Amino acid sequence: MQGDDDLMRLAGTGDRAAFSQLVARHLARATGIAGRVTGNRSDAEEIVQEAFLRAWLKAPDWQAQADREGGASFATWFYRVLVNLCIDRRRRPVNAPIEAAAEVADPNPGGYEATARAETSARVAQAVAALPERQRAALVLCHFEGVSNIDAAAILDVSIGALESLLVRGRRALKEALLDLAPEPSAAKGTMR
């Protein structure tokens, strides 16, 4: 199995099959990251396409870039491009997404639970979306996508200490924003005297 950098070099020679392998290898994760950072599925899909287009255009110069940047891996470079595109997209003024339209209640049994879960998910997504861009990107990469701190720091182009600081501040802000969702202490435990 060829590595990402080898596939990029082959794509640089016009090998579409090699580039297709790269796309297949990274599409699902890229779409997940972009969706969580932007909070909008259609924006995420456009951003992923743009990131892969940039990778295709960069492929002919890939070896020179990797040598110049001290051997930066394709994944680190690609996800850095992806996250930066997401941040740029979030900075643009946008119209309300279709997902913001009122939902019709599910008449089936269990509809209340599904609606409550959907509302909780929406609240969490809204709280994540309200975070500063770098905190949001750090949380998405490390907590939702399982990227290691070392790789996330490289993707965001920050030190590991700065990444950990972003994570701490992001978690603290989420905890404060979602405090009302925390379960209340059980009354069955009794009171201490």
Side-chain angles (χ1 to χ4, degrees), residues 3 8 11 41 67 73 92 95 102 106 110 114 123 138 147 174 178:
M8 256 313 254
R41 179 75 178 180
D67 292 341
S73 74
R92 281 194 232 160
N95 297 327
D106 184 0
R123 282 277 314 280
V147 174
L174 283 179
L178 301 171

Side-chain angles (χ1 to χ4, degrees), residues 4 8 16-17 37 56 112 150 171 189:
D4 292 343
M8 256 313 254
R16 292 178 185 264
V37 173
W56 174 255
Y112 174 78
I150 293 170
R171 282 189 225 113
K189 290 182 181 175

Side-chain angles (χ1 to χ4, degrees), residues 123 174-183:
R123 282 277 314 280
L174 283 179
K175 183 178 177 181
E176 290 172 12
L178 301 171
L179 194 58
D180 63 310
L181 294 179

